[in-house]
Amino acid sequence: MIYLIAGPSHTGKTLLAQKLLERHHIPYLSLDHLKMGLIRSGTIALSPTEDEALTAVLWPIAREMVRTALENRQSLIVEGCYIPYRWQQDFSPEERAEIRYLCLVMSRDYLLRHFTRVRQYANVVEHRLDDSDFTLDTALTDNAEALHQCRLHRLPYLLIENEYPREIDL
């Protein structure tokens, strides 16, 4: 089984992937790690904040890694904000039957009430060197857009509204 965990920055994608790894012993691919490897190696000349351009580079690589895992009947978790909302178009119905997708989205009210806490949990799994571009305004905009896109493309999402769920299973 393949698990795709998507969503805006700071919604808990990496933490969920880490918990799934620990619970089910399924390896995960962090698209942020892939992004930074490509940037730091000089393979791509993009900055870490060029999301659309990064998606255009990262998704084809991740997509083919998913295909390889499917062909080999291996389980894999792929997490990151670089999974396009149109991801289903890239797979056959048979392949899609082996893929579970979830987009984590924080509601406007949740962010307004808990933004300071969200920032405090930013380094639970990974340590961000520079998190200055993550503001309440960017969080509100990015989460509203993610919710809109999930509804538009009829994708499953978990809307975090009151308390952050302790357990999320796909």
Side-chain angles (χ1 to χ4, degrees), residues 20 54 73 122 138 153 157:
L20 290 170
L54 287 164
R73 300 176 196 258
T138 60
H153 294 279
Y157 61 89

Side-chain angles (χ1 to χ4, degrees), residues 64-155:
E64 296 310 315
M65 291 176 78
V66 166
R67 277 214 175 90
T68 301
L70 288 169
E71 289 166 2
N72 290 307
R73 300 176 196 258
Q74 296 171 313
S75 294
L76 178 64
I77 301 162
V78 178
E79 65 88 9
C81 60
Y82 305 104
I83 300 169
Y85 296 105
R86 55 141 189 86
W87 71 268
Q88 293 177 339
Q89 298 171 9
D90 292 339
F91 296 99
S92 70
E94 296 79 23
E95 290 170 322
R96 287 195 307 269
E98 298 298 320
I99 299 172
R100 299 290 175 265
Y101 173 93
L102 182 64
C103 185
L104 302 178
V105 182
M106 293 177 175
S107 74
R108 176 178 179 76
D109 288 342
Y110 182 86
L111 285 165
L112 291 173
R113 286 191 319 268
H114 300 289
F115 183 73
T116 303
R117 212 161 119 206
V118 170
R119 283 194 66 93
Q120 288 172 344
Y121 282 94
N123 292 317
V124 166
V125 176
E126 55 192 7
H127 300 283
R128 301 168 191 266
L129 297 178
D130 180 11
D131 205 23
S132 60
D133 61 333
F134 182 69
T135 66
L136 178 58
D137 288 338
T138 60
L140 290 169
T141 300
D142 293 349
N143 279 270
E145 179 63 16
L147 183 58
H148 170 73
Q149 291 295 328
C150 284
R151 289 175 173 164
L152 180 68
H153 294 279
R154 297 183 178 165
L155 295 169

Side-chain angles (χ1 to χ4, degrees), residues 33-48 54 57 61:
H33 290 174
L34 181 58
K35 166 187 77 174
M36 292 312 297
L38 291 168
I39 290 171
R40 288 179 175 169
S41 69
T43 303
I44 59 174
L46 295 171
S47 76
L54 287 164
V57 170
I61 296 168

